[in-house]
Amino acid sequence: MEKLLTVLKGLGLFLLISAVVFAVQWQLAENNIFTLNYKIHFLIFVVTLISLLTILIVYATGKKDVIGFIFLGFVVFKFFAMGYIAVFQKEFRLNIVPYFVLYWIYLAVEVVFVLKMVKKQD
C-alpha cells in the first residue's frame, strides 16, 4: 500500500508541475511575449510521462535495482526524440533554446523523482 501511495503521489506531483509549465507557456503566448508550438511541448510531456510511469511501476513491483538503467535508457531515448523533432519540425529549429529549456525542466523533474526512488530503495 505504501508503494502505491508513493507512485500516486509522484504521478500527481509530476502532473501538477506539468500543468504549471503548460500554464506558463499559455500565459507567455497570451501576453504576446513568446509563442511555442503546443504539439512539441505535448510530445516532450508524453515521453517524460511514459518514462516516469515505467519507473514508478517498476518501483511498485519491487524490482528497484533496475530503476537506474531504465532512467538511463529513457534519457537516451528522449535525447534522440528531441533530435528527431529538430530535424523534422521547422518550428523547433526556429525556437531551439526554449524547447531545450522545456526538455531540461522535464529532465530535472525526472531526475528528482529517480533520486527519491533510489533513496527509498536503501
Side-chain angles (χ1 to χ4, degrees), residues 72-107:
L72 180 62
F74 272 108
V75 167
V76 171
F77 171 72
K78 285 193 316 183
F79 192 73
F80 282 117
M82 293 294 287
Y84 178 82
I85 295 168
V87 169
F88 292 106
Q89 292 285 334
K90 184 179 179 184
E91 173 79 22
F92 185 88
R93 281 183 261 151
L94 296 174
N95 299 310
I96 196 162
V97 173
Y99 286 118
F100 268 101
V101 168
L102 285 174
Y103 170 78
W104 287 104
I105 288 171
Y106 283 114
L107 184 62

Side-chain angles (χ1 to χ4, degrees), residues 21-22 24-26 28-30 33-41 44 91-92 94-102:
V21 173
F22 272 105
V24 167
Q25 178 182 354
W26 178 74
L28 290 173
E30 283 292 312
I33 297 172
F34 205 75
T35 304
L36 293 174
N37 189 344
Y38 285 102
K39 289 190 308 185
I40 296 173
H41 186 169
I44 297 169
E91 173 79 22
F92 185 88
L94 296 174
N95 299 310
I96 196 162
V97 173
Y99 286 118
F100 268 101
V101 168
L102 285 174

Side-chain angles (χ1 to χ4, degrees), residues 2 31 44-46 52 59 77 85-86 95 99 106-107 112-113 116 119-120:
E2 179 184 334
N31 295 327
I44 297 169
F45 164 77
V46 167
L52 275 179
Y59 172 78
F77 171 72
I85 295 168
N95 299 310
Y99 286 118
Y106 283 114
L107 184 62
V112 168
F113 281 121
K116 286 189 177 196
K119 283 187 179 183
K120 286 187 180 200

Side-chain angles (χ1 to χ4, degrees), residues 1 27 29 53-55 63-64 68-69 73 75 93 103 111 114:
M1 185 67 178
Q27 280 292 15
L53 280 174
T54 305
I55 290 169
K63 298 180 181 180
K64 303 173 193 171
F69 296 114
V75 167
R93 281 183 261 151
Y103 170 78
V111 166
V114 169

Side-chain angles (χ1 to χ4, degrees), residues 62-73:
K63 298 180 181 180
K64 303 173 193 171
D65 53 339
V66 296
I67 288 176
F69 296 114
I70 293 170
F71 171 73
L72 180 62

Side-chain angles (χ1 to χ4, degrees), residues 4-15 52 56 113 117:
L4 180 64
L5 186 61
T6 302
V7 167
L8 292 176
K9 190 165 74 170
L11 185 60
L13 190 58
F14 171 72
L15 293 175
L52 275 179
L56 291 171
F113 281 121
M117 293 293 146

